[in-house]
Amino acid sequence: MEKGPPLELVDTHLSEYSYIGGHRPTQADRAVLNAVCVPCDRSNTFPNLRRWAAHMESFTRSEMQAFPPHTESCKMDNQLSDLVNKELKVDVAAPNKSPENDKAGNHSKRTENDKDGNHSKGSQNEKGGSQSKGKGKSGKFVLKTPKGTRDYGPMEMAYRREVFNVIYSVFHMHGAVQIETPVFELKDVLTGKYGEDSKLIYDLEDQGGEILSLRYDLTVPFARYVAMNKIDNIKRYHVARVYRRDSPAMTRGRYREFYQCDFDIAGQFDAMIPDAECVQLVHQVLSKLGLGEFTIKINHRKILDGVFGSCGVPSEKFRPICSAVDKLDKSPWEEVRKEMVDEKGLDEEVADKIGNYVKLSGREELLETLANDELLKSSPSAQAGFADLKLLFQYCKSLGCAEHLVFDMGLARGLDYYTGVIYEAVLTAGQNFGEEGPVGSVAGGGRYDGLVGMFDPKKKTVPCVGLSFGIERLFTIYEQKMRAESNKVRATQTEVFVVTACKGMVHERLKLLGLLHEAGIKAEGSYKNNPKILNQLQYAEDNKIPLVALIGESEVEAGVVKIRDTVTREETTIKREELVETVRQKLGGL
Amino acid sequence: MEKGPPLELVDTHLSEYSYIGGHRPTQADRAVLNAVCVPCDRSNTFPNLRRWAAHMESFTRSEMQAFPPHTESCKMDNQLSDLVNKELKVDVAAPNKSPENDKAGNHSKRTENDKDGNHSKGSQNEKGGSQSKGKGKSGKFVLKTPKGTRDYGPMEMAYRREVFNVIYSVFHMHGAVQIETPVFELKDVLTGKYGEDSKLIYDLEDQGGEILSLRYDLTVPFARYVAMNKIDNIKRYHVARVYRRDSPAMTRGRYREFYQCDFDIAGQFDAMIPDAECVQLVHQVLSKLGLGEFTIKINHRKILDGVFGSCGVPSEKFRPICSAVDKLDKSPWEEVRKEMVDEKGLDEEVADKIGNYVKLSGREELLETLANDELLKSSPSAQAGFADLKLLFQYCKSLGCAEHLVFDMGLARGLDYYTGVIYEAVLTAGQNFGEEGPVGSVAGGGRYDGLVGMFDPKKKTVPCVGLSFGIERLFTIYEQKMRAESNKVRATQTEVFVVTACKGMVHERLKLLGLLHEAGIKAEGSYKNNPKILNQLQYAEDNKIPLVALIGESEVEAGVVKIRDTVTREETTIKREELVETVRQKLGGL
């Protein structure tokens, strides 16, 4: 590899843009990362370059391969631009460098097919890059989706449908109902619910009328719905996108618009029965998706509060200290301790005491041990928490979902509104599908008994417990898994492609399509009057359509149809009136 | 009925509020409508009252019965408030006045059930009223959804799922892929696409960054997607909510946030083949939903332009005159003519000439007649349109979907971007389900060959044809139909309710639930440790759960389970290890 551009040049570029290609990662980032040598000393030179390189390390190789193509959508120094183009050419020529892209579509057949009026499902540029083209370097018109958002193409939607179907089936197994709330709420509804994160809320422009904000999650709208409709109890699910003006936008799948997939149980019930159902549900969804080993970590806000109180944290600092503990899954204890002492003004001694507890994790025996701990024995809060978790363990055993349960004293969950049990599911076998280690949290939740009361004029509350799947992460992992297993997920479900063998057959083709559709069979044909037969057959193969129904003049005259198996290329001639039945038989046997 | 409050009082109230209860229709509107006598003279007295009463007439009786309950969420004169409360008490006492509400839930059992830890699916207030309570008359805190939006409750979502499933199945039958785009777009993307309606676009607040707007439809984002990803051809569907700051917000199901359900074919293909597929698809969806008779009206922008040109309309007035013609489905010709002459400055003579054409509708023979019309014979634009429509009729015949096709010269479609065939489907048998006449348009679309080019820097375009279902209207009609036919749509899909007969059985209940779930059976149980047996059985009946699995101490000891059919109340005792198989058999037989 030749020497890359001077580091200054890249650093300067990155002082203006988050990525080489602008504000989204593209193949240009891979190209430059290949070409430059980022200094590994600990000085402060080239801060933008270092920040960018560190961020790039957060992507797996396959995630990088899936970056959208480079397009010249931001101003770029000529030397940098030349480097990118040169590197990318090398990249394209090298074999097996982008397995995902190879699978994504049928580009080589594309032009040919287009000529004959087949449609190629928009497979080009499937990853739905946020930007694609502009008026060139000097122009102002850049065609893109808003920062932090993206389009989802046909293949991605097909994977999503599969993941959603699994999750919906589990929700229905538990008798959950579905509700839907507006994408925006009165700003007042969201105010005071998210603490520091309130600054991430998208507001709508005041166009004369109410002051509105886009929802930040589905939990607060749910609490508003329960309070507003005076509902005493409900078990509901809600799947929808939420909005956060997070910055930087694009770290490893973190978008400003993303799906949440929530299941909650509201109502005054006996201790831990609904809570255990939530744990069971996480267990079932992750098992059914088959993404490998996972752990469900549990803890209890009352235990944390008990620990904080017993260690000498003043009660007004419980939540800030809790949010420091929450960072333990990403940062080492030393850093968390530093935040407690330096930023949150805790005595070093108190912090160290907390440290002794929050590093602990285990199963039921740890619960026993800690319940008899000298310091915690006298904390009613901690004891209440231990009693809950012991019961939860027992219920989960009866439900058959206790095996993955781990009592983790370091689990804190970020949100302020939790009041009881909290849990978080972590995949531990992410390395099967990506090059990196554990992919982290894929579901989380807990009990929040006070939120509905915040919306009730008389502060009457309805206790709630619920969970949210990190559905965007599940999509990515599921897609990687399916690709790794070479599973055939198709963007369409077409079963039969109707092919005409000679000219002037458009009406015959349409009649056959009408016949198949009438019978409920998924069938397509070319949009050309006189498409070439080979192109039609090729289209069926490229799009993995299992059967072809072929007619020419002689077939029409004789009242027969040729059925061709796309994989074996075996052909059989049948009577037209047997078509539907034959197709059904053949599809049933596939 | 006693004399109501003075009309002045109601008129004054309605000068401040859109409805009696504030800005959403509630039962208070029905109450007042029952009590007041709206003058039927044509004077200008009580304008607010008249406007409100006229608007109320746009609701069917069953729609009114489905209004959310009255709650005191806006300031109200005491006399008016008393009247409302008095009327509503009458209403509640009268039998058979609210059949929908009777069916919606199990309110009478509710308190009892709650005590025993069953959850009643949030059936209360199912219609998801936008407002429900405040701090009373004097308070400021009103708990509500934003103007023009609403929540959707469990039953509504269940109906929606059924309608969507039908539509998705037809989309997949045609080999369509699914895409998704962000809920907001760069404001520039939407600018200049909607003509006068641009003022209805929701803008996001400028919080430092890009200037964004909520999408107004799915067509413009689709065109942006096609151009941005340089897609040559795609057949896609997209179902999502769109946003319009329309005013007044609540005329007969017109919301500011509502679903669109779009199917479009982009690509350079032979004439009328994709267009005929769109007509076929509308035909299939409406047939499968079984909503009664329907008509698919077709026309062609080139025919309209040909008529306008031949009648002497200057070409810069083509679009404004077209948008006047578009109002023919709601207004008589006289009013449309007035708009053409008074507002759009057309000569009376020209308007009358146009009138001769746009009142015509028929089938293929009308196409023939008009193609030979003296005035239109010399219009190349009109002739091109006639040729297209003749071909469309032929293709639809081959596809088996021509029977409902009507060539309607008065069909114009509002949007500027159509360039060819336009169509609109109308239900003609709405009276079967509501008290009113035809419910109007339930699907519409057409060809727009120029839109993608507006996003391409080189103005390279991709011809498109597509359609959009008026899905909110279809939901309402489908729900009315299902209720009218007393079809049992449940909000949940639970198959087995696990009942424990005595105390101390919670673990046994959970074990049975774990067992059933493991086998993929949808099962629920109480959230109470020791629920009463009758309440549990009642819950299963109320929620139409077909089977009950009952265990007491003796059953557990003997290793058996009692299976009870909820409808027949027949009980059989089986071995525990036969439970799954027996349940499957019984469910298969239901």
Side-chain angles (χ1 to χ4, degrees), chain B residues 298-300 302-304 306-308 310-311 353-387 389-390 393 406-411:
Chain B
I298 55 167
N299 198 1
H300 202 295
K302 286 186 181 164
I303 296 178
L304 284 171
V307 167
F308 298 152
S310 304
C311 293
K353 275 191 194 168
I354 294 173
N356 290 336
Y357 288 106
V358 295
K359 291 175 202 162
L360 301 173
S361 81
R363 286 181 47 98
E364 282 175 288
E365 64 286 354
L366 179 62
L367 275 175
E368 280 306 331
T369 312
L370 284 174
N372 295 309
D373 178 87
E374 208 49 52
L375 207 56
L376 300 181
K377 243 190 335 202
S378 54
S379 159
S381 174
Q383 291 302 324
F386 292 131
L389 290 193
K390 280 185 209 171
F393 257 101
V406 169
F407 169 43
D408 186 336
M409 285 284 285
L411 176 68

Side-chain angles (χ1 to χ4, degrees), chain A residues 114 120 129 132-133 144 151 161 178 181 210 224 227-228 230 233 241 270 277 398 507 527 529, chain B residues 114 120 124 129 132-133 144 151 161 178 181 210 224 227-228 233 241 270 277 398 507 527 529:
Chain A
D114 290 354
S120 52
S132 171
K133 61 168 169 279
K144 62 185 285 298
D151 297 320
R161 274 201 303 275
Q178 189 178 8
T181 65
E210 298 161 336
R224 193 265 307 146
M228 191 174 109
K230 296 193 208 298
N233 54 68
R241 294 198 286 192
D270 280 332
E277 186 173 18
S398 290
H507 279 286
Y527 287 133
N529 286 327
Chain B
D114 288 354
S120 51
Q124 194 184 22
S132 170
K133 60 169 169 280
K144 62 184 285 297
D151 296 320
R161 273 201 303 274
Q178 189 178 7
T181 65
E210 298 162 335
R224 193 264 307 145
M228 190 173 111
N233 55 68
R241 295 198 286 194
D270 279 332
E277 185 173 19
S398 290
H507 278 287
Y527 288 132
N529 287 326

Side-chain angles (χ1 to χ4, degrees), chain B residues 310-572:
Chain B
S310 304
C311 293
V313 179
S315 62
E316 71 276 12
K317 285 189 182 165
F318 278 13
R319 290 284 76 78
I321 294 303
C322 189
S323 107
V325 172
D326 183 46
K327 288 162 191 154
L328 268 181
D329 58 342
K330 286 173 197 116
S331 315
W333 164 250
E334 276 314 308
E335 271 180 42
V336 171
R337 183 183 182 279
K338 200 165 180 293
E339 177 177 331
M340 286 180 176
V341 176
D342 295 357
E343 288 176 36
K344 311 228 153 131
L346 215 59
D347 285 350
E348 298 205 347
E349 198 180 310
V350 175
D352 289 334
K353 275 191 194 168
I354 294 173
N356 290 336
Y357 288 106
V358 295
K359 291 175 202 162
L360 301 173
S361 81
R363 286 181 47 98
E364 282 175 288
E365 64 286 354
L366 179 62
L367 275 175
E368 280 306 331
T369 312
L370 284 174
N372 295 309
D373 178 87
E374 208 49 52
L375 207 56
L376 300 181
K377 243 190 335 202
S378 54
S379 159
S381 174
Q383 291 302 324
F386 292 131
D388 270 354
L389 290 193
K390 280 185 209 171
L391 194 55
L392 182 67
F393 257 101
Q394 285 167 24
Y395 285 158
C396 286
K397 277 184 204 161
S398 290
L399 286 167
C401 64
E403 50 186 312
H404 302 288
L405 225 46
V406 169
F407 169 43
D408 186 336
M409 285 284 285
L411 176 68
R413 303 282 302 160
L415 289 167
D416 277 5
Y417 52 61
Y418 290 117
T419 55
V421 169
I422 46 179
Y423 37 80
E424 198 166 286
V426 185
L427 291 192
T428 49
Q431 57 275 24
N432 290 351
F433 313 119
E435 279 85 359
E436 301 215 340
V439 288
S441 164
V442 290
R447 178 162 282 283
Y448 50 101
D449 288 346
L451 193 57
V452 173
M454 292 174 77
F455 291 107
D456 191 281
K458 289 170 189 157
K459 303 294 161 211
K460 175 183 173 285
T461 197
V462 180
C464 295
V465 63
L467 60 94
S468 185
F469 284 100
I471 192 82
E472 302 281 349
R473 227 172 238 190
L474 289 176
F475 288 144
T476 306
I477 300 162
Y478 183 80
E479 191 174 337
Q480 284 172 3
K481 178 199 162 198
M482 294 310 269
R483 288 185 191 279
E485 295 173 358
S486 300
N487 269 342
K488 285 169 202 156
V489 171
R490 295 200 290 151
T492 69
Q493 301 173 16
T494 310
E495 297 162 329
V496 179
F497 195 67
V498 175
V499 169
T500 43
C502 40
K503 286 190 180 181
M505 302 283 290
V506 56
H507 278 287
E508 294 302 328
R509 199 190 318 132
L510 295 181
K511 281 181 199 167
L512 220 52
L513 281 169
L515 187 75
L516 290 165
H517 285 162
E518 188 63 34
I521 291 164
K522 293 163 188 153
E524 285 186 272
S526 166
Y527 288 132
K528 284 276 176 187
N529 287 326
N530 302 312
K532 286 179 187 153
I533 182 164
L534 285 183
N535 292 339
Q536 294 174 79
L537 295 176
Q538 188 65 52
Y539 179 85
E541 289 193 16
D542 291 343
N543 289 279
K544 303 194 183 78
I545 301 173
L547 296 176
V548 162
L550 194 150
I551 44 170
E553 269 171 24
S554 55
E555 280 81 8
V556 171
E557 217 160 279
V560 297
V561 180
K562 264 193 193 146
I563 297 287
R564 178 188 157 105
D565 185 303
T566 303
V567 175
T568 65
R569 302 192 180 182
E570 195 187 330
E571 290 184 358
T572 41

